[in-house]
Amino acid sequence: MNNNFKKIYENSIDEPENFWREVADDIFWFKKPNKILNKSKPPFYKWFEDGVTNTCYNALDIHIDQGRGDKICLIYDSPITGNKKQFTYKELRDKVSKFAGALINQGIKKGDRAIIYMPMIPEAVVAMLACGRIGAIHSVVFGGFASNELASRIDDSKAKILITASCGFEPGKTVEYKPLVDEALKLASHKIEKVILFQRSGHEVKLNAPKELSWDEVLSNAQNVDCVEMNSNEFAYILYTSGTTGIPKGIVRDIGGHIVALKWTMKNIYNIDTDDIWWSASDIGWIVGHSYIVYAPLFKGCTTILFEGKPVGTPDAGVFWKIISDYKVKSLFTAPTAFRAIKKEDPEGKFFSKYDLSSFKSLFLAGERADPDTIKWAEKLLKVPVIDHWWQTETSWAISSNCTGIEMMKTKYGSACKAVPGYDVKIIKPDQTLAKPNEMGDIVVKLPLPPGTFPTLWNADKRYEETYMSNYKGYYQTYDAGHIDEDGYISIMSRTDDIINVAGHRLSTGAIEEVLSEHQSVAECAVIGIADKLKGQLPIGLITLKAGVDKDNETIAKECVQMVRDKVGPVAAFKIAIVVKRLPKTRSGKILRGTVRKIADSEPYKMPATIDDPAILTEIKEDLIKNNILKD
Ligand code: COA
Ligand code: AMP
């Protein structure tokens, strides 16, 4: 056991208030907090209650105050368009403060919500930070979501303004945002007051003033504005994530704890200092993008890369190595699926050998289970530590990781390493007792959660309490299952709810089922995530038809696929719907999704004792074989 890490970890668990009081000294406060943790209303804990600070000040202004205004903070590289740009802290601060002024001119005040639906361009980062500057709460929506999803976020957040761009670029296609936004505004019952749209060069779209204004127009008469003072427990942002129903959950982040925890992680987990170049190849629409493209690296004062491209096809499987080599990146954080994509295209690492990667020191993977094969392949190629770490939108930073800035720990393949300081992780078995080493169970974290996690859900305290804090009193239920070994290494094995992980993207099978049920010919449906070599998991839908339907099965299946694409979005990667005669159920009518998933993945399964008609499983197996999901 490593003494330095052990000491720090134990201190964080035994004396959380002292631990975080000290860490909090490292950030800028207008007023330093005296009250470190308010525990009076569990599970609603409050960190740094009487502290006053500002997200944007800590991301930008502080570094200028400290004489680092001319240091590059943001590098934008877009192999998909050929554009590249770099911004110093001072340049980015000026852009942000002017756009913040433009938001004020549009009537945006402290506490108002702003939806940001943008591709991976610097203006998206500017919009996020500008919200923080004036105390508006942003809610970034991933570009791969369709209008329906955008509309549900508009309705739940009751946003006043929507900030978007004319388009995004995906390999081989242009994603037109304006029609998606128009449709979402029609679908939403809450009415957005203003839309600001950034016109991408060569892709300008028509706007209808006075409600729709261009980015340049709103900037033309805007003044630079300063950061407002924010109470530590006011919200920095809402990030919606899949829940077990179609209604997404608005994860909220409070301001003070977010800055304190994220800044701490840059050195302690990732071993990044102010002079380092850091790259998180994700999307600002996901939590990894929020925390590690934008906030944590800027709080730390290092350089972050905004990459508008894909691991393969923009233009080739060497683009990651090119970025690392061009900018002397020290560490990269991405999802295992990105490495599986590179490995598939270039298993021998031929592209890799063309670049100088001497600056590169570590690779961090998260978002889904990192299969040992991919880790070993990456280790062999890169000859640097490849670190699997585990976290969730709910927490915004790693729950378990190798804390490389404290002590480098050994890798155990298949494990996401040990609990990070601040997280007291336990495994609870179905009989509610604590598991022994290596015993499987639900992974929970003892309350209070550390700063920077989620104090509640947007406008849904009850849902927060019931969903996450009720099944195991005194613990946060992660909805991941796994085990911890005798050395404290945590292995994350599966989700315990209906969430699946498709190319590192979190999706609810329940939400896809809701869409399928809307098809007029569909009687019942079940969506399951089946194993996929590239994306980890892929959703497939099994549907039964209403009596008297006279359309052919193929047409109905195609329509179902299109409906999911239109309503959830292309990111769901929903391409397979199979019409079956019957769905396997228990005698009480519960669809046996888990058993079907095991059959589809050729895993051993036990015939459920409560199954209504075992013959249905044989029918399903035959259907899966017919559709090439399962080999004969
Ligand atoms: N805007 C609009 N559409 C988007 C989009 C965006 N921001 N991101 C993805 N899509 C679309 C894609 O174009 C694709 O559409 P298609 O069905 O018309 O081809 C669909 O959504 C699925 O996209 P994706 O999951 O990216 O699959 P892919 O086959 O295009 O690429 C990978 C596969 C592995 C290269 C890709 O998933 C990847 O880079 N993953 C990295 C994962 C990641 O960053 N995760 C974040 C958490 S760390
Ligand atoms: P998201 O909220 O989109 O970040 O997804 C969080 C979920 O992704 C977790 O609850 C896990 O199920 C999964 N996940 C994230 N990181 C890992 C990891 N390192 N290993 C296994 N699963 C992971």
Side-chain angles (χ1 to χ4, degrees):
M1 174 67 96
N2 208 313
N3 283 335
N4 202 8
F5 175 78
K6 188 171 183 277
K7 216 168 82 196
I8 292 173
Y9 178 76
E10 285 175 355
N11 181 25
S12 78
I13 301 302
D14 298 341
E15 305 278 344
E17 290 179 58
N18 285 346
F19 180 86
W20 290 109
R21 184 197 304 277
E22 239 171 72
V23 175
D25 266 349
D26 194 34
I27 78 154
F28 168 83
W29 297 97
F30 290 112
K31 177 183 174 297
K32 262 195 181 190
N34 286 317
K35 296 184 194 155
I36 301 302
L37 177 63
N38 179 340
K39 299 185 263 195
S40 62
K41 270 201 214 140
F44 300 96
Y45 295 90
K46 289 183 173 176
W47 285 99
F48 313 119
E49 198 175 23
D50 59 341
V52 179
T53 184
N54 180 284
T55 302
C56 186
Y57 203 97
N58 276 281
L60 301 173
D61 303 63
I62 184 74
H63 308 300
I64 300 160
D65 295 349
Q66 293 174 351
R68 281 178 285 115
D70 293 328
K71 182 186 156 63
I72 300 294
C73 66
L74 181 70
I75 296 173
Y76 166 61
D77 194 312
S78 169
I80 208 152
T81 60
N83 291 335
K84 290 178 193 182
K85 269 186 205 159
Q86 303 201 354
F87 304 85
T88 63
Y89 272 99
K90 196 164 172 313
E91 284 165 348
L92 193 62
R93 196 270 314 263
D94 292 346
K95 281 192 177 302
V96 167
S97 68
K98 191 128 190 238
F99 190 67
L103 290 177
I104 289 178
N105 287 350
Q106 298 310 315
I108 303 303
K109 304 178 304 294
K110 192 169 166 169
D112 286 342
R113 274 80 61 209
I115 297 260
I116 300 176
Y117 185 58
M118 294 182 100
M120 290 280 287
I121 53 177
E123 287 70 19
V125 178
V126 169
M128 289 168 80
L129 293 167
C131 287
R133 198 164 186 87
I134 59 170
I137 300 170
H138 66 64
S139 184
V140 181
V141 179
F142 177 61
F145 281 126
S147 307
N148 218 42
E149 294 288 322
L150 182 55
S152 70
R153 286 149 173 80
I154 292 171
D155 277 339
D156 194 73
S157 66
K158 306 230 174 334
K160 205 164 179 182
I161 195 161
L162 188 147
I163 305 163
T164 187
S166 52
C167 67
F169 299 106
E170 284 288 296
K173 68 174 181 207
T174 303
V175 182
E176 305 287 350
Y177 278 50
K178 185 65 173 37
L180 293 168
V181 168
D182 288 347
E183 180 64 17
L185 296 185
K186 257 194 248 154
L187 291 171
S189 27
H190 170 78
K191 294 301 156 214
I192 290 268
E193 287 176 20
K194 285 277 161 80
V195 174
I196 299 178
L197 182 142
F198 178 77
Q199 303 276 20
R200 295 196 77 172
S201 159
H203 292 267
E204 288 79 5
V205 293
K206 197 174 161 297
L207 296 174
N208 296 314
K211 180 171 172 173
E212 300 171 359
L213 300 163
S214 80
W215 182 277
D216 286 349
E217 230 174 320
V218 296
L219 280 180
S220 63
N221 59 351
Q223 307 295 318
N224 288 30
V225 295
D226 280 335
C227 294
V228 297
E229 297 193 3
M230 298 296 292
N231 181 281
S232 185
N233 295 140
E234 289 179 285
F235 298 145
Y237 66 79
I238 310 170
L239 179 58
Y240 287 91
T241 190
S242 301
T244 41
T245 68
I247 305 158
K249 289 183 289 201
I251 306 292
V252 291
R253 205 73 64 208
D254 59 345
I255 293 170
H258 180 229
I259 307 166
V260 170
L262 259 57
K263 185 172 184 194
W264 178 88
T265 64
M266 283 313 282
K267 175 66 192 169
N268 290 280
I269 297 183
Y270 301 103
N271 198 21
I272 292 292
D273 291 299
T274 27
D275 289 335
D276 292 330
I277 317 290
W278 162 261
W279 179 24
S280 169
S282 176
D283 188 289
I284 46 139
W286 305 114
I287 186 58
V288 176
H290 275 61
S291 292
Y292 289 100
I293 295 174
V294 184
Y295 289 116
L298 296 181
F299 293 152
K300 182 68 193 170
C302 64
T303 303
T304 184
I305 294 179
L306 183 72
F307 170 73
E308 191 184 22
K310 298 264 174 174
V312 292
T314 59
D316 55 40
V319 69
F320 270 32
W321 322 135
K322 181 171 186 332
I323 296 280
I324 293 173
S325 154
D326 281 358
Y327 301 113
K328 304 201 177 348
V329 170
K330 181 175 178 189
S331 292
L332 165 67
F333 176 176
T334 191
T337 190
F339 265 71
R340 288 197 296 269
I342 298 171
K343 182 169 101 180
K344 191 168 162 222
E345 294 251 320
D346 183 23
E348 310 295 325
K350 289 199 181 102
F351 281 106
F352 179 81
S353 49
K354 293 188 201 160
Y355 298 100
D356 169 14
L357 263 75
S358 51
S359 64
F360 194 53
K361 298 290 178 261
S362 50
L363 168 67
F364 287 86
L365 299 174
E368 53 172 323
R369 191 171 155 75
D371 51 294
D373 268 5
T374 303
I375 295 195
K376 286 179 190 166
W377 179 81
E379 278 176 342
K380 197 165 156 219
L381 188 73
L382 299 167
K383 299 189 176 54
V384 298
V386 176
I387 291 151
D388 178 16
H389 64 326
W390 165 58
W391 52 304
Q392 308 182 306
T393 305
E394 283 83 350
T395 63
S396 98
W397 56 288
I399 308 169
S400 80
S401 180
N402 196 335
C403 289
T404 61
I406 302 177
E407 293 256 1
M408 183 65 91
M409 290 177 246
K410 71 170 184 201
T411 300
K412 289 196 187 183
Y413 297 104
S415 160
C417 211
K418 298 186 191 187
V420 168
Y423 292 98
D424 191 0
V425 180
K426 304 270 188 244
I427 308 286
I428 302 195
K429 292 190 292 182
D431 65 3
Q432 299 268 341
T433 59
L434 286 179
K436 295 197 194 73
N438 301 310
E439 272 184 347
M440 273 288 289
D442 280 0
I443 313 182
V444 297
V445 184
K446 196 157 188 289
L447 296 176
L449 290 172
T453 53
F454 67 139
T456 188
L457 293 174
W458 176 251
N459 272 347
D461 284 353
K462 193 159 169 262
R463 190 177 182 192
Y464 173 80
E465 198 166 1
E466 284 176 356
T467 310
Y468 294 107
M469 313 292 178
S470 293
N471 287 342
Y472 300 108
K473 270 268 159 294
Y475 294 96
Y476 158 64
Q477 183 178 0
T478 65
Y479 288 93
D480 280 317
H483 50 85
I484 305 181
D485 75 6
E486 45 293 310
D487 298 325
Y489 277 68
I490 303 174
S491 294
I492 317 300
M493 304 310 290
S494 61
R495 288 286 302 195
T496 56
D497 54 7
D498 74 349
I499 300 293
I500 57 169
N501 212 305
V502 180
H505 308 319
R506 174 167 160 177
L507 294 169
S508 153
T509 54
I512 301 175
E513 285 178 3
E514 276 179 25
V515 174
L516 296 179
S517 312
E518 285 170 25
H519 190 289
Q520 54 188 18
S521 303
V522 170
E524 277 189 304
C525 63
V527 173
I528 53 167
I530 59 165
D532 179 74
K533 275 210 170 83
L534 175 65
K535 297 195 176 186
Q537 282 183 301
L538 271 183
I540 64 162
L542 304 179
I543 51 181
T544 63
L545 302 185
K546 289 180 185 158
V549 169
D550 56 2
K551 261 191 207 168
D552 64 285
N553 290 355
E554 209 179 313
T555 307
I556 293 171
K558 267 196 195 143
E559 287 170 356
C560 284
V561 166
Q562 192 58 42
M563 276 176 79
V564 174
R565 195 175 171 88
D566 293 344
K567 297 211 162 182
V568 180
V571 70
F574 183 77
K575 307 236 156 102
I576 303 166
I578 303 172
V579 178
V580 296
K581 270 204 266 157
R582 302 177 294 171
L583 287 169
K585 290 185 187 168
T586 60
R587 281 191 285 277
S588 61
K590 199 166 168 273
I591 299 174
L592 291 161
R593 292 177 180 78
T595 313
V596 176
R597 203 232 2 109
K598 283 189 179 150
I599 294 176
D601 286 346
S602 302
E603 280 179 20
Y605 67 94
K606 272 200 207 128
M607 181 65 70
T610 54
I611 192 164
D612 186 33
D613 181 356
I616 303 180
L617 289 183
T618 315
E619 288 171 20
I620 295 282
K621 213 171 188 173
E622 281 162 9
D623 282 322
L624 293 172
I625 292 170
K626 245 191 275 162
N627 285 277
N628 295 323
I629 309 272
L630 196 61
K631 285 208 175 70
D632 202 348

